[in-house]
Amino acid sequence: KDLVVNEGEIASYDDDDHDVPLAHTLPDSSGAPLLAAEVAPPNGRLNIVIMGLGFLFLFSGFNTTVNYLTSAIRSDIALASLSILYGTFALTNFISPVVVQKLGPRMSMVFSAGLYVLFILSAVHVIIPLYLVASALCGAGAAILWTAQGTLLTNSSTSTNIGFHSGLFFGIFQINSVVGPVAAIVFIAQNRSFSFIFFTFFIIACLGVLVLFFLRPVPKKESTGSNPGVFSLVRGSVYLFRDPRVLCMTLGVFYTGGSAAFFSATFPGFMNKTTVAIALMSFGFGEVAGSLISGKISEFIGRRPVFIASLLFHAAAVVIANLTQFEAYTKVQVQDVVIVFCAASMAFGFGDSALQTMLYAVIGNMFSDNSSQAFAWYKTIQSVGYMVSFLLAIYFHDVLVLTCYFLAPILGLGFIGLFVMDMFLYPLNIVNMHK
């Protein structure tokens, strides 16, 4: 209910044709308004839970489908479609804030989640032209979905509980890394076809869209300036490359996309169906553990040791992944040893979550005054990494080539860039130091 404040004002906003109180102001002795204590947005925590559950169902269907595409569909077609998806994602990152501004975060999420569902449906019975078009639409939807997610998370939180809300959302969301693979194991044990499996995941993803319909309106955050348009975002993101700190981080961010593409889609193509599901579960456990542990540890020992730990886990993942190919060069039979694939996947999951958690924290501190441009840059560079990795996998369908000549050099150069930034430009352990 609206609070009645004598001689004060109640600011409101429009979201899906609902007026909701935003903040209360009281006049001081001179008549100037004073902002009252920050009020928790109505339905804030409820929205976080609903959003987490919606993403849990949606990505239980989508991620598991993507992981099996290279096994179910001709690998070059599957990899080409994923290249198109992430290429479109990179291009539409600059448009997505405008779409979310026009539609509002709730309807933006429902609309973009529907494009994810369309992509899964196109994999049930592949008609190549339609499948590739669905990939492009899904890429555009991905940019809108994650922009809307960030907007709703911010609008549903206060400055004191946004950290808890972010952890709550990702804690619920990351369960998809276990739910999807477990469902896949059950279907594979029953000798179900990929068409049946993908259609089931289509139904699960539809449940996610349905859940997102129940999101409630929340106040918009006060802005000190106008919302940036498409050209402002593009110009601001391009100008970031003039910053030497950004140049130092670029290869590290690119690596997060390239490595995720390899371990989530290309690498499963070398496994049998049962091993894929178990390896994905291992990846999910590593991802969840890395997210929970790295953020907490960094509060006590700083970010620098966590960055170093993520480097070691990534290096271990690359080395272990190469062990799966020793059979082609030696008499050692490791191709069907499940534990080797699981160890590589878990090491990557832990390293990836730790690295991205720290990169987000550094970028958030470094560009707190223009975060929209900074994170548009981040998502674009990462998406380009995905796209390049998928394209290389089409022509070099070999673990040794992709890891030794692509991932390993980018990993090394990326961490050299972070080391240079840490030593000379922007210490990684700094919490508040802006441009």
Side-chain angles (χ1 to χ4, degrees):
K1 295 181 180 180
D2 291 354
L3 298 177
V4 178
V5 183
N6 293 332
E7 301 182 33
E9 298 175 336
I10 295 182
S12 64
Y13 80 109
D14 291 323
D15 188 287
D16 299 332
D17 298 325
H18 293 80
D19 289 331
V20 181
L22 177 61
H24 304 283
T25 58
L26 286 168
D28 63 11
S29 58
S30 64
L34 294 173
L35 186 63
E38 189 174 10
V39 179
N43 304 312
R45 188 156 300 172
L46 175 63
N47 267 347
I48 300 301
V49 173
I50 293 173
M51 184 167 63
L53 290 173
F55 276 56
L56 164 61
F57 286 114
L58 179 65
F59 284 91
S60 291
F62 174 76
N63 283 344
T64 315
T65 299
V66 168
N67 295 141
Y68 276 95
L69 282 176
T70 52
S71 301
I73 303 172
R74 224 174 67 214
S75 61
D76 56 341
I77 298 297
L79 293 169
S81 74
L82 293 172
S83 299
I84 292 171
L85 191 158
Y86 284 99
T88 309
F89 186 13
L91 292 174
T92 52
N93 274 324
F94 303 109
I95 302 174
S96 58
V98 179
V99 176
V100 174
Q101 180 185 340
K102 297 295 184 183
L103 297 181
R106 184 177 76 93
M107 289 310 301
S108 295
M109 273 193 272
V110 171
F111 168 71
S112 55
L115 298 179
Y116 274 81
V117 167
L118 181 64
F119 172 79
I120 300 172
L121 183 61
S122 71
V124 174
H125 180 72
V126 176
I127 300 173
I128 293 177
L130 296 179
Y131 175 64
L132 297 179
V133 170
S135 300
L137 292 175
C138 184
I144 297 170
L145 182 76
W146 286 104
T147 299
Q149 181 270 340
T151 302
L152 190 69
L153 174 66
T154 302
N155 291 347
S156 297
S157 308
T158 65
S159 59
T160 56
N161 68 13
I162 189 169
F164 174 76
H165 280 179
S166 179
L168 177 63
F169 167 77
F170 280 104
I172 298 172
F173 163 66
Q174 290 288 5
I175 298 174
N176 82 84
S177 300
V178 178
V179 172
V182 167
I185 289 175
V186 173
F187 296 140
I188 290 168
Q190 298 173 349
N191 292 318
R192 298 290 189 177
S193 66
F194 277 118
S195 293
F196 176 88
I197 293 174
F198 289 163
F199 185 76
T200 304
F201 286 134
F202 162 75
I203 298 298
I204 293 173
C206 285
L207 290 176
V209 179
L210 181 62
V211 170
L212 293 175
F213 267 108
F214 291 93
L215 288 168
R216 306 306 304 153
V218 291
K220 296 177 182 177
K221 292 290 185 181
E222 295 283 358
S223 176
T224 56
S226 59
N227 292 313
V230 178
F231 294 110
S232 296
L233 279 170
V234 174
R235 184 172 59 252
S237 298
V238 172
Y239 283 171
L240 286 178
F241 281 103
R242 300 184 303 179
D243 190 325
R245 299 170 302 176
V246 169
L247 292 177
C248 287
M249 288 190 293
T250 298
L251 281 180
V253 175
F254 179 89
Y255 173 81
T256 64
S259 59
F262 172 79
F263 280 99
S264 66
T266 306
F267 194 46
F270 296 92
M271 311 176 196
N272 60 48
K273 290 193 293 185
T274 303
T275 304
V276 170
I278 299 174
L280 293 179
M281 286 179 56
S282 301
F283 166 76
F285 284 123
E287 194 79 25
V288 172
S291 298
L292 295 176
I293 295 173
S294 60
K296 200 67 178 175
I297 288 181
S298 67
E299 294 179 2
F300 296 99
I301 62 175
R303 295 171 187 153
R304 188 178 297 118
V306 178
F307 270 109
I308 295 172
S310 69
L311 167 64
L312 296 177
F313 274 99
H314 275 287
V318 170
V319 171
I320 297 171
N322 277 301
L323 292 177
T324 64
Q325 299 302 296
F326 274 10
E327 184 180 1
Y329 302 95
T330 70
K331 295 182 179 180
V332 180
Q333 302 292 314
V334 296
Q335 184 68 28
D336 296 320
V337 178
V338 176
I339 192 172
V340 178
F341 289 102
C342 291
S345 299
M346 184 174 290
F348 169 73
F350 194 96
D352 178 64
S353 58
L355 177 59
Q356 293 210 59
T357 298
M358 293 301 99
L359 284 172
Y360 260 79
V362 169
I363 293 172
N365 285 147
M366 190 182 294
F367 298 105
S368 60
D369 55 342
N370 59 343
S371 61
S372 57
Q373 287 92 339
F375 283 107
W377 163 83
Y378 181 94
K379 291 186 291 182
T380 299
I381 298 299
Q382 187 179 59
S383 300
V384 171
Y386 272 100
M387 182 180 64
V388 171
S389 184
F390 286 131
L391 289 174
L392 288 175
I394 295 174
Y395 297 101
F396 304 103
H397 197 62
D398 186 299
V399 169
L400 292 174
V401 171
L402 292 172
T403 55
C404 293
Y405 297 104
F406 174 59
L407 292 183
I410 299 298
L411 174 63
L413 293 172
F415 271 86
I416 289 174
L418 290 172
F419 174 79
V420 171
M421 184 183 76
D422 183 32
M423 291 293 102
F424 304 106
L425 301 172
Y426 188 92
L428 295 173
N429 285 335
I430 280 184
V431 175
N432 287 306
M433 181 174 120
H434 309 313
K435 288 180 68 175

